[in-house]
Amino acid sequence: FFPVLFRDDEDTFKILVATDIHLGYMEKDPVRGNDTFVTFNEILDHARKNEVDFILLGGDLFHDNKPSRKTVHSCLESLRKYCMGDRPVQFEILSDQAVNFHYSKFPWVNYQDENLNISIPVFSIHGNHDDPTGADALCALDILSCAGLLNHFGRSTSVEKIDISPILLRKGRTKIALYGLGAIPDERLYRMFVNKQVTMLRPKEDEDSWFNLFVIHQNRSKHGATNYIPEQFLDDFINLVVWGHEHECKIAPFKNEQQRFYISQPGSSVVTSLSPGEAVKKHIGLLHVKGKKMKMEKIALETVRTFHIEDIVLADHPDLFNPDNPNVTQAIQAFCMEKVELMLDTAERERLGNPRQPEKPIIRLRVDYAGGFEPFSVHRFSQKYMHRVANPKDIIHFFRRREQKEKKEIDLNFEKLVSRPAEGTTLRVEDLVKQYFQTAEKKVQLSLLTERGMGEAVQEFVDKEEKDAIEELVKFQLEKTQKFLKERRTDAVEEKIDEEVRKFRESRKKNTEEEDKEVREAMMRARAQRSADEVLVTASSDEDSMDIETTDNPSDGLSSTLSRGRGRARGRARGARGQNSTARGSSRRGRGTTSQESASSSRSYKSVTGKTPSIMDGSEGVCLIMKFSTLSSLNKRGSQSQTSKGVDFESDEVWYIVLLFSFILCKFL
């Protein structure tokens, strides 16, 4: 980073940098529902006023993988309002756009489309919230790209090798190589970096004359052994890294002394978790690049709802609180009210200097009540601030700092099983599955499936609503195991079969690349099955709506009925179909299909030891669907509101784990 002042001219790029806008976050909340849309308009307005060359977004433009119509409409409206116009674009693209945008139906930058009039191009990678899913691997950014309002780049679908080809830009004598990599599961990308499977391609001519800008959307902070991307994994020829996904604003470029490049972490433009990192003032960046020099100008966002957070440790105030005092709870409540009032006064003073800021602030008071204290009623406390804060149900968060104690117990200990995540972090299903089997007793260990595959399948079910993910993974791994046993010509002895299955499972666990391929193939089968189901349902609906005009058997008495009029025939046909409700109810897919037809059309899998148990068979299948529907609703509810009782994930966390264990211990494992 060169903190030098240079005048903008025909050789200077001006780039507006932002990440993690999360359009649609809490859109149904009556107070905070429009926060993301207002701030997005402010960001685009800054781009227009500063006459930037282009906007660079670092992922998570949308909060949901499948944003609502309101969210998509608001985004299209804003992009059309601020990014279309007659102002000419002053830079050119030198690279092969068919390579940069090879997955797009329109593989060229939008401002070069003769049918569009773009004044401010937008370049964006996808994040973990709006990543491509489904049978066609599409995301919300692809809709914007197809509409010509955004240029989606940095997409990679390979699990074997990633080649990052830059978009080569030139303005006057300044040349920028823009690299991008959309969100990939951190563990997978970590392993690919270690195995030298990630390559950043460089221009063949004048390598040292390019300013190399890399935008990435991954964990920067360490959340586990491999659940992040270390900075030293990135190539040292990079000049600046724009790091998305981390919400704390650290937009001033920070130099990595080992790799010799600079890192800018713009952070989010909206508060999505009530954690200290979100309380840092929100900014976007105006990046100036001239030759190999750069300057990052911070622009404070004025429409972001103010957020104040404070911690209280009751044990640190022995002069005020005595746990043996019968009136100590009332004293704690009065003390908390005083703290909240002070934070409200601070928020009001800040808002007076900024009329564009929303009126109601977000307030969070975290209370550590360890030491024999009891929490008071959060609901009664929140009633006092219903009309003064934007998050009345989440004002107070009671927690107890756990004491480290050695416990020798045979029974399953939930406290040991899952360490409570820091407030604002995401509770991941894959981690729960892995942690459970690391500590579970031998009798409940998986003997056929792998923890990694099962965790990813459950995650697909919960986050992406792929209802066939678990079933397809089970069937796929059963097929692989059966094929292995046939090739080994294993004797039909239970002990020998168990031993061979165990060896096969261990070999798959060691070969992580092969296991990734298996899980990916199973997920593709699930998506393809979902697409086939949708086509089947659509075709069935079309058949139901058709009028009956012919019959194969004119002697069955129906022809006379048909001759009387279309309305009566339609009513008779629908009535007949309704009488077959038993058959229709017994079918798993499609309408009006009998159980026999469903059985004959479904795929069969021959088992070595007998009939293959299916996730959908009998009452167990229904039970699983009910459990995971509840799990999905808990997950979504937790993402929109940290708690309904003031204790973060306290009740949801237990139910989350209980439901997951109920699934894992089901018969088909």
Side-chain angles (χ1 to χ4, degrees), residues 588-607:
R588 185 171 71 87
R589 294 191 179 98
R591 297 177 59 186
T593 305
T594 63
S595 57
Q596 290 83 0
E597 292 171 342
S598 177
S600 64
S601 62
S602 61
R603 293 181 299 274
S604 60
Y605 298 88
K606 186 177 180 181
S607 174

Side-chain angles (χ1 to χ4, degrees), residues 279 306-310 343-344 346-348 350 361-365:
T306 183
F307 171 42
H308 293 273
I309 185 171
E310 190 171 335
M343 286 192 284
L344 284 172
T346 303
E348 181 62 23
E350 291 182 3
I362 301 173
I363 301 296
R364 183 69 150 182
L365 185 63

Side-chain angles (χ1 to χ4, degrees), residues 342-410:
L342 290 175
M343 286 192 284
L344 284 172
D345 290 342
T346 303
E348 181 62 23
R349 287 195 297 271
E350 291 182 3
R351 195 182 71 83
L352 290 176
N354 180 15
R356 300 181 64 187
Q357 199 171 69
E359 180 179 356
K360 296 181 180 180
I362 301 173
I363 301 296
R364 183 69 150 182
L365 185 63
R366 304 192 299 186
V367 182
D368 182 356
Y369 67 104
F373 299 98
E374 294 294 332
F376 53 79
S377 173
V378 175
H379 292 290
R380 292 181 182 176
F381 187 89
S382 64
Q383 291 295 323
K384 307 178 189 304
Y385 301 96
M386 288 294 295
H387 302 291
R388 300 181 62 189
V389 300
N391 62 319
K393 295 181 180 180
D394 299 328
I395 294 181
I396 298 291
H397 167 57
F398 283 104
F399 71 99
R400 286 187 293 184
R401 193 168 283 109
R402 291 196 176 106
E403 300 178 2
Q404 300 294 331
K405 294 183 179 180
E406 291 292 332
K407 294 184 180 181
K408 296 182 179 180
E409 301 179 4
I410 299 177

Side-chain angles (χ1 to χ4, degrees), residues 434-598:
K434 185 177 180 180
Q435 291 178 20
Y436 167 72
F437 286 110
Q438 286 177 346
T439 58
E441 298 178 3
K442 185 176 180 180
K443 63 182 181 180
V444 294
Q445 290 283 354
L446 290 173
S447 59
L448 175 61
L449 308 179
T450 60
E451 297 90 344
R452 181 182 184 82
M454 183 55 61
E456 292 200 18
V458 176
Q459 189 71 27
E460 286 282 323
F461 185 98
V462 175
D463 286 350
K464 310 295 172 60
E465 300 180 4
E466 292 289 352
K467 60 183 179 63
D468 293 320
I470 302 170
E471 179 186 4
E472 289 297 335
L473 179 73
V474 173
K475 289 181 178 179
F476 186 80
Q477 293 196 347
L478 280 173
E479 287 177 347
K480 298 282 288 186
T481 306
Q482 291 164 5
K483 182 179 179 181
F484 172 79
L485 293 175
K486 289 179 181 179
E487 293 175 351
R488 300 276 293 185
R489 299 182 181 276
T490 306
D491 296 334
V493 180
E494 184 175 353
E495 290 77 9
K496 291 186 177 181
I497 293 175
D498 291 343
E499 179 64 20
E500 292 293 340
V501 169
R502 185 188 64 79
K503 291 180 180 179
F504 180 57
R505 180 175 179 274
E506 291 300 323
S507 66
R508 287 184 12 247
K509 288 179 64 177
K510 292 178 181 178
N511 192 347
T512 55
E513 293 184 8
E514 183 66 25
E515 186 176 4
D516 276 345
K517 291 182 181 179
E518 291 183 8
V519 174
R520 188 174 183 85
E521 185 173 345
M523 296 305 102
M524 291 299 294
R525 281 170 48 165
R527 292 163 185 165
Q529 183 62 47
R530 176 171 58 81
S531 299
D533 290 348
E534 292 173 353
V535 172
L536 182 61
V537 171
T538 303
S540 179
S541 300
D542 292 341
E543 291 176 2
D544 292 344
S545 63
M546 292 175 61
D547 295 331
I548 302 176
E549 296 179 353
T550 62
T551 178
D552 294 331
N553 187 6
S555 62
D556 61 357
L558 186 61
S559 58
S560 60
T561 305
L562 292 175
S563 64
R564 296 178 184 176
R566 298 177 63 184
R568 184 171 297 181
R570 184 185 304 176
R572 181 77 58 88
R574 288 183 177 175
R577 190 175 68 250
Q579 293 169 4
N580 196 21
S581 59
T582 305
R584 188 176 73 250
S586 64
S587 173
R588 185 171 71 87
R589 294 191 179 98
R591 297 177 59 186
T593 305
T594 63
S595 57
Q596 290 83 0
E597 292 171 342
S598 177

Side-chain angles (χ1 to χ4, degrees), residues 220-233:
R220 184 183 177 192
S221 302
K222 188 173 182 179
H223 296 277
T226 61
N227 195 18
Y228 77 114
I229 303 301
E231 296 173 5
Q232 59 266 25
F233 280 4

Side-chain angles (χ1 to χ4, degrees), residues 233-298:
F233 280 4
L234 307 183
D235 289 292
D236 56 5
F237 70 83
I238 299 173
N239 299 105
L240 175 65
V241 178
V242 175
W243 206 299
H245 184 64
E246 300 289 351
H247 281 206
E248 183 177 357
C249 183
K250 298 179 180 179
I251 200 167
F254 172 81
K255 187 175 183 179
N256 183 301
E257 295 296 340
Q258 180 179 350
Q259 298 298 95
R260 311 295 294 177
F261 54 62
Y262 289 85
I263 300 176
S264 174
Q265 182 178 302
S268 66
S269 60
V270 63
V271 177
T272 60
S273 63
L274 305 183
S275 58
E278 294 274 19
V280 179
K281 180 70 176 176
K282 305 290 186 183
H283 294 82
I284 55 176
L286 183 59
L287 176 64
H288 304 256
V289 179
K290 183 177 182 180
K292 298 280 287 186
K293 297 182 179 181
M294 68 176 179
K295 179 182 68 173
M296 180 71 80
E297 178 183 345
K298 297 199 316 184

